[in-house]
Amino acid sequence: MILLSILVGIISGIGAFTFYALLELCTKFFFGLDYFKPPSAGGEMEVIPIDFNFGFLPLYLIPAIGGILSGLIVYSFAPEAEGHGTDAVIRAFHKMRGMIRARVPIVKMIASSITIGSGGSAGREGPIIQIGAGFGSALASLLKLSDRDRRILVVCGMAGGIGSIFRSPLGGAIFGIEVLYKRDYEVEAMVPAFVSSITAFIIFESILSCLSGCMRFGLIPIFNVPEVHIHSPFEFLIYALVGVVSGLIGLLYIKSFYTIHNLFRRLNISRHVKPFIGGLITGLIGFYLPQVLGMGYGFVQEAIYGKLPLHIILFTIFGKILATSFTIGSGGSGGVFAPSIVIGGMIGAFLGYFFNDIIPNVVPQPEAYVLVGMSAFVAGVTKAPIAAIAMVVEMSGCYNLLPALTIASAIAYYITGDKTIYIEQVPTRADSPAHRAEMQVDILRNVRVRDAMIPAEKVVTVSPSNTVFEVLNLIEKTGHIGYPVLNNGELVGIITFKDVEKVPIEKRKTTTVSDVMTRNLVVTYPDETLEDALIKLVTRGVGRLPVVEREDKKKLVGLITRSDIMKAHAREISRLYG
């Protein structure tokens, strides 16, 4: 698996660079139609030394053109490549045995490059996740691996794609194992995910540094950020406020996104055309507020540098929410991570610069709040708080802010509750079809019969001398359909409703229990597991087992039924995962 994860990392790194270069080419081409040149983040490198200067189209039409082209490509060749892509991979992991069609990565790469490059408000996380995961799934299918191994390679592909293109090998690996669940991790894939992420990062950086002419190799943060520090304990109150506001706006973002998404689903027109409408609305927003177009990392960089006025920052928060909802909700191809970074960064920027004007002694470095907002907002809407913190640290190089990032992210994560931008996430491994069977077996293996049985003093028993008629009355009175038979305190048999109903009606008052009871008993022991007991119940076709001492098989210590095992299983599930 380690060797395979290295191979997936190599492929993901190459795929990530190809997507990176294609996206840069599309951005230059489409924005060249209007002479619009969006700023870039400080750490982003140019690999396509070409500029286009056509300048014959208004800006608001460009995202619409990208939308129609993307729609035609996606819905003609791979409809599952629509939207932000991450949900499609999560769904494939949980419900489709990790199967992703081989054509999806290619279609996703082209369609997303066009969508984002033409100004659609989307990011490269969803596409690169689908690209990397698609490569992992294809490799597993080629080698005829098991479903379990295929799922691990899918996670490796996700981790490799994210770790490379975001220059965040640690965060990418954590994101891959964390984003599948709201409150859990895919722990089995942890080591392969780290190996794949680091491998992909090395491949991506090697190609990027060679083609860009940059002599520096390694963790070059995407954002240029001056050295920032936490200056006062009072700042933690502002950091907490960033978390609160990020959580509340995160709820608004999720609600807006899926309201518009569902609106387009109900729209009775060709789905090929829907991304055109979404792109046109995005273009109209971007015409008046260009900060919402494309990924928007360059405008986050300007916010860090303090180049954006407060009212533009505020408008960008809500404009980006709408633009992203229309771009991706209409069926455009792109991720929601980059828009989340921009929205969160602008929330932090607004609060940071606002409080810097009011209490500059408490908030002397407002640019730090841009990073805190990023982490908090991403943690809240993606339900991946650890990955959000790690990725923002690696994307900015600001390790000094780790306590602030953690506090704000935890608050935002708590406020958003179970709401998530990734609706295919499941709460825990126990809720995933991929793990449900193994989780049930593991739980049954970890609970002993003594913890689930009815103790002997509460078990209703009968004597061998009782009549069948008396047993029928007991069944009617208690509702139980089986009873251990004790003779002078010793277990000698068991009688059930099936035994009783075989006796003719006219003989039930004279026939005794000893005449019809089962003497060849199937028993279980207090120290056996519930799995052992359940196997006995199923293989022997019985509904209850007397529980006896190993040293004295005639000493009844309890009784266990299928119902008791189900109740114990439910209690354990609730204790572990509820």
Side-chain angles (χ1 to χ4, degrees):
M1 184 54 64
I2 295 299
L3 292 175
L4 290 176
S5 64
I6 291 173
L7 181 56
V8 171
I10 293 172
I11 299 172
S12 297
I14 295 172
F17 177 79
T18 305
F19 178 47
Y20 182 95
L22 185 59
L23 179 55
E24 182 184 325
L25 179 63
C26 286
T27 301
K28 288 185 174 183
F29 174 80
F30 281 105
F31 282 143
L33 299 175
D34 182 72
Y35 293 128
F36 177 64
K37 295 190 181 300
S40 60
E44 296 275 51
M45 299 178 189
E46 184 183 73
V47 295
I48 307 293
I50 303 173
D51 283 314
F52 298 95
N53 294 287
F54 305 116
F56 61 84
L57 280 180
L59 184 61
Y60 59 82
L61 284 181
I62 297 174
I65 294 172
I68 191 68
L69 291 175
S70 173
L72 289 172
I73 292 170
V74 167
Y75 293 115
S76 298
F77 298 102
E80 61 267 51
E82 70 158 337
H84 57 75
T86 305
D87 262 339
V89 174
I90 296 174
R91 180 171 59 252
F93 179 93
H94 290 307
K95 301 175 181 177
M96 299 166 60
R97 301 166 38 233
M99 295 291 294
I100 299 172
R101 288 201 296 169
R103 69 173 66 178
V104 170
I106 306 301
V107 173
K108 189 69 176 179
M109 182 185 300
I110 296 171
S112 297
S113 298
I114 292 172
T115 298
I116 304 168
S118 63
S121 180
R124 45 195 188 195
E125 136 269 344
I128 197 58
I129 279 180
Q130 212 162 9
I131 291 166
F135 287 145
S137 178
L139 178 62
S141 298
L142 180 67
L143 299 178
K144 295 181 170 55
L145 301 183
S146 66
D147 291 347
R148 173 183 175 276
D149 289 343
R150 181 187 292 108
R151 288 187 175 101
I152 290 177
L153 291 186
V154 164
V155 174
C156 288
M158 294 167 63
I162 290 287
S164 57
I165 207 163
F166 286 96
R167 300 184 199 166
S168 176
L170 173 62
I174 298 174
F175 189 87
I177 64 173
E178 190 176 28
V179 75
L180 298 168
Y181 307 100
K182 296 178 183 179
R183 299 189 301 273
D184 209 340
Y185 305 89
E186 188 61 26
V187 292
E188 292 178 340
M190 182 176 294
V191 173
F194 274 102
V195 172
S196 178
S197 182
I198 292 168
T199 303
F201 170 78
I202 293 172
I203 296 296
F204 180 86
E205 286 293 306
S206 298
I207 302 174
L208 186 64
S209 59
C210 288
L211 294 185
S212 66
C214 177
M215 303 305 295
R216 179 184 168 192
F217 178 86
L219 278 172
I220 305 172
I222 289 178
F223 298 106
N224 284 345
V225 183
E227 187 172 351
V228 290
H229 300 276
I230 300 170
H231 295 271
S232 164
F234 295 107
E235 274 199 282
F236 284 102
L237 296 175
I238 313 297
Y239 295 139
L241 180 62
V242 173
V244 171
V245 175
S246 295
L248 295 174
I249 295 181
L251 292 172
L252 174 65
Y253 177 42
I254 295 168
K255 179 70 173 176
S256 300
F257 184 90
Y258 284 106
T259 297
I260 293 173
H261 173 271
N262 295 334
L263 178 65
F264 273 98
R265 281 289 176 93
R266 293 193 296 267
L267 202 59
N268 191 23
I269 60 173
S270 170
R271 58 183 182 176
H272 294 75
V273 180
K274 292 178 183 180
F276 169 80
I277 298 173
L280 181 60
I281 296 173
T282 298
L284 291 171
I285 298 172
F287 183 76
Y288 297 99
L289 191 67
Q291 288 79 8
V292 307
L293 296 176
M295 285 197 307
Y297 281 177
F299 294 107
V300 174
Q301 185 69 70
E302 290 195 339
I304 292 171
Y305 289 154
K307 293 182 177 181
L308 297 179
L310 274 181
H311 71 280
I312 293 296
I313 293 174
L314 184 62
F315 291 155
T316 301
I317 294 172
F318 299 102
K320 193 70 175 174
I321 290 175
L322 287 175
T324 304
S325 301
F326 280 108
T327 297
I328 304 175
S330 63
S333 185
V336 293
F337 187 90
S340 299
I341 285 284
V342 175
I343 296 166
M346 294 301 174
I347 292 171
F350 181 82
L351 292 173
Y353 288 105
F354 176 79
F355 283 106
N356 175 254
D357 289 339
I358 299 174
I359 44 175
N361 292 332
V362 177
V363 184
Q365 289 186 301
E367 59 269 29
Y369 290 79
V370 178
L371 309 179
V372 176
M374 288 183 199
S375 178
F377 192 81
V378 171
V381 300
T382 67
K383 316 314 297 179
I386 308 302
I389 294 168
M391 290 182 70
V392 169
V393 166
E394 289 180 302
M395 291 169 69
S396 64
C398 295
Y399 296 87
N400 294 329
L401 291 179
L402 192 56
L405 300 176
T406 303
I407 287 175
S409 298
I411 292 173
Y413 177 84
Y414 175 79
I415 288 175
T416 53
D418 278 343
K419 302 296 183 183
T420 172
I421 201 72
Y422 301 134
I423 58 172
E424 294 292 342
Q425 286 176 331
V426 297
T428 66
R429 287 160 58 88
D431 301 286
S432 170
H435 292 293
R436 192 166 292 148
E438 68 187 58
M439 294 299 294
Q440 290 174 350
V441 170
D442 286 344
I443 287 171
L444 294 180
R445 286 174 180 169
N446 291 331
V447 181
R448 302 292 165 180
V449 168
R450 68 169 70 91
D451 299 320
M453 70 181 187
I454 304 169
E457 57 269 19
K458 294 184 179 181
V459 176
V460 180
T461 63
V462 297
S463 167
S465 60
N466 287 128
T467 65
V468 168
F469 183 75
E470 289 173 327
V471 174
L472 277 172
N473 288 336
L474 196 59
I475 290 172
E476 182 181 359
K477 180 180 177 181
T478 65
H480 302 317
I481 59 173
Y483 304 92
V485 183
L486 299 185
N487 185 21
N488 295 323
E490 291 187 345
L491 179 67
V492 294
I494 193 167
I495 188 168
T496 68
F497 179 72
K498 286 185 178 180
D499 300 322
V500 170
E501 69 176 351
K502 293 176 183 177
V503 179
I505 295 175
E506 64 275 11
K507 294 183 179 181
R508 288 178 180 176
K509 288 188 177 181
T510 57
T511 304
T512 64
V513 169
S514 62
D515 296 329
V516 297
M517 69 182 185
T518 301
R519 300 176 185 273
N520 185 20
L521 295 177
V522 181
V523 299
T524 185
Y525 306 102
D527 58 347
E528 283 192 315
T529 67
L530 292 188
E531 182 189 13
D532 298 327
L534 185 60
I535 289 172
K536 290 180 180 180
L537 286 168
V538 172
T539 56
R540 300 298 182 93
V542 296
R544 64 207 46 79
L545 294 174
V547 185
V548 299
E549 294 284 2
R550 284 189 181 274
E551 297 77 17
D552 185 1
K553 292 182 174 56
K554 292 187 177 182
K555 183 179 180 181
L556 183 72
V557 295
L559 185 75
I560 191 164
T561 67
R562 297 188 189 209
S563 176
D564 296 323
I565 293 175
M566 291 170 62
K567 290 175 183 177
H569 179 270
R571 283 196 302 270
E572 193 68 5
I573 284 282
S574 179
R575 183 182 72 81
L576 292 174
Y577 305 105

